């Protein structure tokens, strides 16, 4: 199943804070970052490793280390920006691509207004991993369009992390991008008539940037 719902008591607990209408901008940002870090551990569980040797103060030992392919963190603007710091805290050397998308308030269709993906040097390779981040997977229009763009530039592994999803978005991304693993912290009930996730957490971008 390409959409993985990460059931973990800490994630559910922190999600309550994001859902709560009384949570202010500063706390919202900080919890988004913490949740991203927790979901990133799950999303990177299958990263390739190679054997290595480590000298402890007492003896040498065989261990495993990451093979060291590039990471390209790719936030969908605006709200995805709030997840970049959490990702960089695990992968401090990652590159950061940007995809600007705005969902039309009437039609819920995404329009791309900015796209910047690292090309050189080194070129994106099959060893590198792209992780697209966006707090909300509602209709999945934005994520599906972003994945199509990234696939045009990146031959390697592509994953995505979203904090909260609707069943409609889950079904769509599984249909359109069955090759992409998407990790979500909660799967909610449904979309409302304006394509907002219910019960949801409101508009992540507005709550994160104080633009409500
Ligand atoms: C929201 C959200 C996602 C998108 C999800 O962004 O952050 O990017 O909508 O909806 P979808 O799954 O139906 O495409 P929005 O376009 O409101 O922009 P913002 O991040 O600037 O608030």
């Amino acid at each position: 199943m390409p959409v993985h719902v990460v059931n973990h008591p800490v994630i559910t607990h922190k999600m309550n804070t994001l859902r709560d209408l009384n949570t202010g901008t500063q706390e919202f940002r900080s919890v988004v970052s913490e949740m991203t870090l927790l979901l990133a551990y799950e999303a990177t569980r299958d990263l390739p490793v190679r054997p290595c040797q480590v000298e402890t103060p007492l003896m040498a030992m065989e261990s495993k280390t990451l093979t060291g392919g590039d990471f390209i963190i790719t936030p969908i603007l605006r709200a995805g920006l709030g997840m970049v710091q959490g990702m960089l805290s695990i992968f401090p050397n990652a590159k950061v691509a940007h995809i600007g998308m705005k969902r039309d308030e009437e039609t819920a269709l995404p329009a791309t207004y900015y796209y910047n993906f690292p090309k050189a040097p080194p070129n994106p390779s099959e060893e590198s991993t792209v992780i697209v981040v966006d707090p909300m997977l509602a209709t999945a229009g934005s994520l599906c369009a972003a994945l199509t763009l990234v696939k045009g530039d990146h031959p390697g592994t592509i994953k995505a992390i979203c904090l909260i999803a609707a069943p409609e978005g889950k079904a769509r991304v599984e249909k359109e991008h069955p090759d992409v693993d998407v990790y979500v912290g909660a799967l909610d009930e449904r979309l409302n008539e304006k394509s907002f996730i219910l019960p949801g957490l409101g508009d992540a971008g507005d709550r994160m940037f104080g633009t409500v």
Side-chain angles (χ1 to χ4, degrees), residues 59-121:
M59 62 181 285
M61 65 171 280
E62 297 295 326
S63 183
K64 288 174 183 158
T65 186
L66 295 172
T67 51
D70 275 341
F71 268 97
I72 305 170
I73 300 161
T74 307
I76 301 178
L77 310 184
R78 282 175 307 167
L81 285 175
M83 299 173 72
V84 172
Q85 202 49 51
M87 295 298 299
L88 287 174
S89 63
I90 312 181
F91 303 109
N93 297 317
K95 300 174 193 304
V96 182
H98 291 87
I99 303 178
M101 279 188 181
K102 180 71 193 151
R103 204 175 75 152
D104 185 281
E105 287 183 6
E106 298 302 321
T107 64
L109 295 174
T112 305
Y113 58 83
Y114 185 69
Y115 178 68
N116 186 317
F117 196 85
K119 289 188 173 62

Side-chain angles (χ1 to χ4, degrees), residues 27-205:
E27 189 178 14
F28 192 90
R29 280 190 200 131
S30 136
V31 174
V32 164
S33 215
E34 290 169 23
M35 296 261 297
T36 304
L37 199 145
L38 294 170
L39 290 169
Y41 275 112
E42 198 59 35
T44 55
R45 194 178 276 281
D46 61 350
L47 283 184
V49 291
R50 60 176 167 75
C52 72
Q53 248 208 353
V54 183
E55 291 270 346
T56 82
L58 299 178
M59 62 181 285
M61 65 171 280
E62 297 295 326
S63 183
K64 288 174 183 158
T65 186
L66 295 172
T67 51
D70 275 341
F71 268 97
I72 305 170
I73 300 161
T74 307
I76 301 178
L77 310 184
R78 282 175 307 167
L81 285 175
M83 299 173 72
V84 172
Q85 202 49 51
M87 295 298 299
L88 287 174
S89 63
I90 312 181
F91 303 109
N93 297 317
K95 300 174 193 304
V96 182
H98 291 87
I99 303 178
M101 279 188 181
K102 180 71 193 151
R103 204 175 75 152
D104 185 281
E105 287 183 6
E106 298 302 321
T107 64
L109 295 174
T112 305
Y113 58 83
Y114 185 69
Y115 178 68
N116 186 317
F117 196 85
K119 289 188 173 62
N123 291 318
S125 70
E126 286 175 17
E127 288 84 58
S128 62
T129 301
V130 170
I131 302 187
V132 178
V133 293
D134 188 335
M136 319 282 289
L137 183 66
T139 67
S142 305
L143 181 62
C144 286
L147 292 173
T148 301
L149 276 173
V150 170
K151 281 180 181 177
D153 275 328
H154 181 75
T157 305
I158 302 172
K159 296 171 183 251
I161 299 176
C162 300
L163 302 187
I164 187 167
E168 294 89 333
K170 174 179 183 289
R172 180 168 171 188
V173 75
E174 285 177 341
K175 184 162 179 250
E176 294 188 19
H177 294 281
D179 51 332
V180 176
D181 284 304
V182 181
Y183 295 82
V184 303
L187 182 63
D188 272 19
E189 287 174 20
R190 63 186 170 90
L191 296 177
N192 71 6
E193 66 287 350
K194 291 191 154 184
S195 296
F196 271 83
I197 300 171
L198 292 179
L201 48 76
D203 182 315

